[in-house]
Amino acid sequence: MPKVGMEPVRRKALVDAAMRVIGDHGSLTVTMSEIAKQAGVSPALAHHYFGSKEQLLIETVRSHLQRLRDSTVTALRAAKTPREKLSAIIRVSFQADQFAPETIAAWLAFYAEAQRSEETRRFLVIYARRLRSNLLANLKVLCPSEDAERIAEGAAAMIDGLYIRQSLRSAPISIDASIALTEDYINALLAPLPRKAAFQKEQIK
Amino acid sequence: MPKVGMEPVRRKALVDAAMRVIGDHGSLTVTMSEIAKQAGVSPALAHHYFGSKEQLLIETVRSHLQRLRDSTVTALRAAKTPREKLSAIIRVSFQADQFAPETIAAWLAFYAEAQRSEETRRFLVIYARRLRSNLLANLKVLCPSEDAERIAEGAAAMIDGLYIRQSLRSAPISIDASIALTEDYINALLAPLPRKAAFQKEQIK
DNA sequence: TTTTGTTGATTGATCAGTCAATCAAAAATA
DNA sequence: TATTTTTGATTGACTGATCAATCAACAAAA
């Protein structure tokens, strides 16, 4: 049974298991045993590959954010105009798997963890900045810079807020409704501003 | 030193201490010892009055939400028109003490805890509903019901989102900027809708 | 026979929660 | 008023459970 080249397989299995356990549990106070069991290995093996629980958790955040990033990149590539790119960013944020209760619970747990773990915090800051700057880059093509900054900030906050509120599972909002709410926001704030449609090529620079 | 009637004093001291410790620590994984120490009593006393750690934590959430509620009620009373009341609700949400890093950290920890503790979840659901319904009641005076629902949902999400983002302390937004962003949202969505100013008296019903 | 994968058993630390004992104020009694 | 009794407040010391982390040992490939 024991073969060579197990390391990447086990690492992935453990990280995925961690994500699942955290999601179910709704908290980062999960045991290495639970994670290991879920991954079908012994707790000792988890320590063998990750050194510590904290490190495993950090890898789990990293992997989750990596996946989100990949989706975003793909979605952005598929969209043509800045306005379409904005919609793509929003759509990715509320993708079915991102919006599943367990994912939201895990996400929330990571945010809480970031208060204590500098490394976790760094990852989330990167995510927050990326979301904001993706929005900003495309908004700047559509309106003056100062307005773009405001709108990006507001849209990012709204996305995160819809997320958080979902975690309470009272009055759950559908994916479509969440997307509509965010689109509405952007449309409403963009409407009264001077258009910049003629300069859309600016996005290339 | 030991006098009668200490119970309410101790309970308050412990709840306040818990809030402080949770805020500093940025997490609910705090020990009874820490809380008790912060309150200047022995851990045993904390158990004596609250029975369990969970119960103390729940009382802490309750107390925090109660204070927020009181502020809201006061602010709403002072505001006259529906539009002013909307601003009052927003202002309270971003009050200095609410927006302090420790308060935000504690708030976040409670949200995470709500994934596991049904009772904590109940409290937060009450808060979420109250925020939404306060906004809704006043919006309904200013625009058609369906629009009011949407806007209330969006504004509530934006408030919570600005909160969450603040917890990462990257690109911190000032209180004033947060208020402005939320006001902007309401103004922008209200602008193109049919006014209802003539029916402001409806708010009384 | 060296390397890689794997685990069971164990250790050490941390904590929530318990308990018996102490102390001083209040209430009851003489 | 003086005393005894009761009661609430308080703690130090302890217990039992949980868990992260370690390690020695073994199995199978290379």
Side-chain angles (χ1 to χ4, degrees), chain B:
Chain B
M1 216 189 299
K3 259 194 306 189
V4 108
M6 278 288 102
E7 176 153 0
V9 177
R10 294 308 189 202
R11 293 188 88 99
K12 182 168 188 320
L14 282 162
V15 161
D16 290 351
M19 193 65 198
R20 243 171 298 140
V21 173
I22 292 166
D24 284 356
H25 216 271
S27 143
L28 288 197
T29 63
V30 294
T31 66
M32 285 298 250
S33 303
E34 277 177 284
I35 297 173
K37 193 174 181 183
Q38 177 70 219
V41 298
S42 77
L45 196 67
H47 275 99
H48 174 64
Y49 283 128
F50 289 92
S52 73
K53 183 183 169 183
E54 172 151 30
Q55 207 50 48
L56 167 53
L57 259 28
I58 285 169
E59 293 297 322
T60 306
V61 184
R62 192 216 296 282
S63 134
H64 186 228
L65 257 33
Q66 184 61 50
R67 228 172 300 171
L68 188 54
R69 182 196 182 127
D70 292 345
S71 302
T72 307
V73 168
T74 306
L76 279 176
R77 247 199 277 278
K80 305 234 169 50
T81 68
R83 190 62 190 78
E84 277 170 21
K85 280 176 198 281
L86 287 174
S87 292
I89 295 166
I90 295 170
R91 216 176 318 111
V92 168
S93 299
F94 296 113
Q95 261 171 350
D97 60 322
Q98 281 297 317
F99 221 49
E102 314 84 46
T103 311
I104 290 180
W107 192 251
L108 194 55
F110 290 144
Y111 259 86
E113 175 69 7
Q115 304 295 313
R116 301 198 290 109
S117 155
E118 182 52 33
E119 207 162 349
T120 301
R121 187 174 156 272
R122 262 208 325 270
F123 283 124
L124 292 187
V125 166
I126 290 171
Y127 151 79
R129 280 215 244 279
R130 197 153 58 209
L131 175 55
R132 186 179 173 284
S133 98
N134 279 336
L135 290 166
L136 189 56
N138 292 288
L139 281 165
K140 272 188 175 165
V141 189
L142 301 170
C143 69
S145 283
E146 311 92 70
D147 296 308
E149 310 247 356
R150 267 175 40 230
I151 301 175
E153 208 70 64
M158 176 161 290
I159 290 171
D160 284 6
L162 286 168
Y163 239 83
I164 270 280
R165 299 211 125 216
Q166 206 68 8
S167 79
L168 289 183
R169 303 184 309 277
S170 94
I173 308 178
S174 74
I175 290 182
D176 289 344
S178 300
I179 292 177
L181 231 35
T182 315
E183 289 278 353
D184 247 28
Y185 168 70
I186 291 181
N187 288 335
L189 287 236
L190 236 33
L193 297 176
R195 295 271 176 82
K196 263 203 183 177
F199 304 117
Q200 278 187 14
K201 283 169 195 164
E202 274 188 34
Q203 72 177 292
I204 297 164
K205 71 160 179 214

Side-chain angles (χ1 to χ4, degrees), chain A residues 94 153-163 178 181-183 185, chain B residues 153-155 157-158 161-162 165 185:
Chain A
F94 296 113
E153 208 70 65
M158 177 162 289
I159 290 171
D160 284 6
L162 286 168
Y163 237 84
S178 301
L181 230 35
T182 314
E183 289 278 353
Y185 169 71
Chain B
E153 208 70 64
M158 176 161 290
L162 286 168
R165 299 211 125 216
Y185 168 70

Side-chain angles (χ1 to χ4, degrees), chain A residues 87-99:
Chain A
S87 292
I89 295 166
I90 295 170
R91 216 177 316 113
V92 168
S93 299
F94 296 113
Q95 262 171 350
D97 59 324
Q98 282 296 318
F99 220 49

